[in-house]
Amino acid sequence: MIPIRTDPPGPAEAGAVPRRRVSDFEQWGIVTHHQLGHYLRTNRFYGLLGFVVLISALSLAFEVDAGIAAVRVEQLYRSSEYLSNFLASTGLWIILAAAFFGGDALSVDFSTGAGYYMLVLPIRRPVLLAGRYTAATLVTLAVVGVYYLFGAVGGIYFFGAPSIPWGLLLASLGLAALFALAALGVAFCVSAVIRSPAAGVLITVLVLYVGFTTLQAVVELAGIEPWFSLTYAGGAMAAVLDTDFVHVQAIPLGEDQYYTIWAATVSEGLAIMAAYVAVFLPLSAYLYQRKESTG
Amino acid sequence: MGSFEVSSLSKSFRPGAPVLSDLSFRYEGAGAVGYLGPNGAGKTTTLKLLVGLLRPSTGHAFLNGIDPMVDRKSALWDVGALIETPEPYPTLNVHEALDTVGRARGLSPDDVDREVDRCHELLDLPPLGQRIGWLSKGQRQRVALASTLMGDPSVLLLDEPTSGLDPAERVVVRRLLNRLKRDHLLLMSSHQMLEVTEVCDQVIFLHQGRILLKDRVDRLAGRIRSRQVDVEFEHPVAPDAMEALRPIATEVTPLSERRWRISFDGADATRVHLLELCQGVGPVLQFAHTSLVLEEAYLELIPQNADDA
């Protein structure tokens, strides 16, 4: 008698796999880990990090070449002054990092096949956004941290470790972290609206750097404090170290004519940055949640 | 057992130009449903609506009874979806890409490894340490398919699952789908009629966003009068020898030296007579019409210029 096989041969049986419900918090960690693994292998991360290292190293090299005495004179014999000046470009690095890591963080789901991989998983979109936002913040802080490291090394070299205001330096780094959160909030928002990843990166730089800086200059000419500008708020990162900080400066232009310049106080900077996070992050989440994969 | 359902589902991207109109169907349990239609019929749109990648204009979609627009996480919990061309980040390696999916679906790290090994065996995945960006299109498609299987979800939504695969890979995937459909529910869109015939128990024909026909494949064979058969002879047959079929064959097409496709009027009596004539030509190894039923149904149901529309 010919045996009748009811179970035809084939590949290994798909067995029941034990699964447990994963909380949003756990999934946030999973997405952060996934996104961080991606960012840390991208050319843009190493490119930006290399650029920061190059510029910082060159600045330091020129100062070393000028000599300790010359730098001390120039910085009014104060390490805080030195750090405040050295770290004045922090805002630019953060804006670049925010554009590189946030400018296409969400649009990638709607312009490439990445969305068909991630958006079909049982993960809420706000959780996906939170994980990517966290990963983008961490890599941005890694870049900024390297810049601060160069600043600290310079400060120690020219003024000695005991004279470094470590508390203020830490406060400045804290402000930089908040600035990064705010800039990334804007970048994520751009990314939730713009479909093209490249355009998202470019528009983020244009909005955060060119747009705000230009607008700031224009309103200052009109005698208005640019309290709405994130780049204005970013001045607080250096201001916290500046012992001669002046909030408002009137520069005489001619007879009875002045050009007023404002510098954000630390509390003002904190409030503006926090407001940006509070507005743009939920807005990004809302737009991302509403976005459809029409491509 | 899983289920998927669409209820009075419509979708328009522009006012007055519906891509899907009032679509309704529901399947549950185990088996495979083929989702067929020409390009632009709305197959992928339906799958996107099912997983919440698109919002319905009207109506609802449900996965295991849950509307993904209401509770996306619960709706997709027991669902694997392969839609369009999924692309994990090119910087990640195969294991990392699958690890994220497995952990997001609630697998422990040990079970993730076991599942990756299972998928590796089922789909002959590329080396697990290889970066996604370095893989060929076919390898990437297999990784994407593996991601839908991670955690063994009960419902699988597959949009052209063998797209980009070579013939050998297609056979592996078809065999896998045939295994999976015994205890999973599959919805599979495809242009490959042979594939759908081999895998699916039921079919839905879609045209211009509307369902033209829903039926079991075996019942369809009865409804559609097959007008073609494929005959395989034991030995090569010369075209002259096929002249013997002339009284009843309307057309004969050589598929290979030994295989011929014969068109006729479709009547059962004619088919019996045709077999007798073929046996007169030479020993017959195969005389089959099943693989052609869907193709014929497709051509009968869908207007011929639909692909150009």
Side-chain angles (χ1 to χ4, degrees), chain A residues 183-202:
Chain A
L184 281 163
V186 175
F188 270 62
C189 204
V190 169
S191 180
V193 176
I194 304 291
R195 199 173 197 92
S196 154
V201 172
L202 187 66

Side-chain angles (χ1 to χ4, degrees), chain B residues 140-244:
Chain B
R140 242 179 269 190
Q141 180 75 356
R142 278 183 280 148
V143 172
L145 199 52
S147 77
T148 67
L149 303 181
M150 289 292 292
D152 198 24
S154 65
V155 176
L156 296 170
L157 307 174
L158 307 170
D159 185 17
E160 306 271 358
T162 57
S163 158
L165 301 182
D166 65 32
E169 291 171 330
R170 280 168 192 256
V171 170
V172 169
V173 170
R174 276 207 296 270
R175 200 177 293 162
L176 171 64
L177 296 179
N178 264 316
R179 293 281 290 178
L180 288 171
K181 76 172 187 182
R182 287 190 284 147
D183 48 11
H184 296 74
L185 183 61
L186 277 65
L187 177 63
M188 184 175 109
S189 84
S190 179
H191 281 114
Q192 305 285 328
M193 296 298 155
L194 181 65
E195 186 172 281
V196 175
T197 308
E198 277 191 30
V199 174
C200 298
D201 319 296
Q202 316 226 17
V203 280
I204 301 172
F205 282 92
L206 194 69
H207 180 52
Q208 293 182 343
R210 291 177 186 279
I211 293 176
L212 293 182
L213 179 76
K214 277 188 292 187
D215 210 339
R216 293 184 57 87
V217 174
D218 53 2
R219 262 191 246 147
L220 205 61
R223 280 171 70 155
I224 305 291
R225 277 206 322 177
S226 181
R227 291 179 172 83
Q228 288 183 325
V229 286
D230 283 353
V231 184
E232 187 180 2
F233 295 98
E234 191 182 6
H235 306 293
V237 173
D240 292 351
M242 295 302 279
E243 284 294 318

Side-chain angles (χ1 to χ4, degrees), chain A residues 4-63:
Chain A
I4 297 170
R5 186 165 182 170
T6 53
D7 181 16
E13 189 71 61
V17 186
R19 288 200 280 154
R20 60 180 182 84
R21 281 275 167 186
V22 192
S23 68
D24 286 348
F25 183 74
E26 280 176 278
Q27 287 188 328
W28 164 71
I30 293 165
V31 176
T32 302
H33 179 263
H34 176 80
Q35 193 71 18
L36 207 54
H38 167 60
Y39 281 145
L40 293 178
R41 289 175 203 165
T42 53
N43 290 336
R44 59 178 80 174
F45 173 69
Y46 288 105
L48 187 61
L49 194 64
F51 196 53
V52 168
V53 168
L54 181 72
I55 298 294
S56 307
L58 279 176
S59 304
L60 217 52
F62 283 128
E63 287 169 351

Side-chain angles (χ1 to χ4, degrees), chain B residues 4 24 58 63 116 124 139 162 201 223 232 241 285 288 308:
Chain B
F4 55 77
S24 293
T58 59
L63 290 169
V116 170
D124 188 23
Q139 287 175 319
T162 57
D201 319 296
R223 280 171 70 155
E232 187 180 2
L285 288 178
D308 305 328

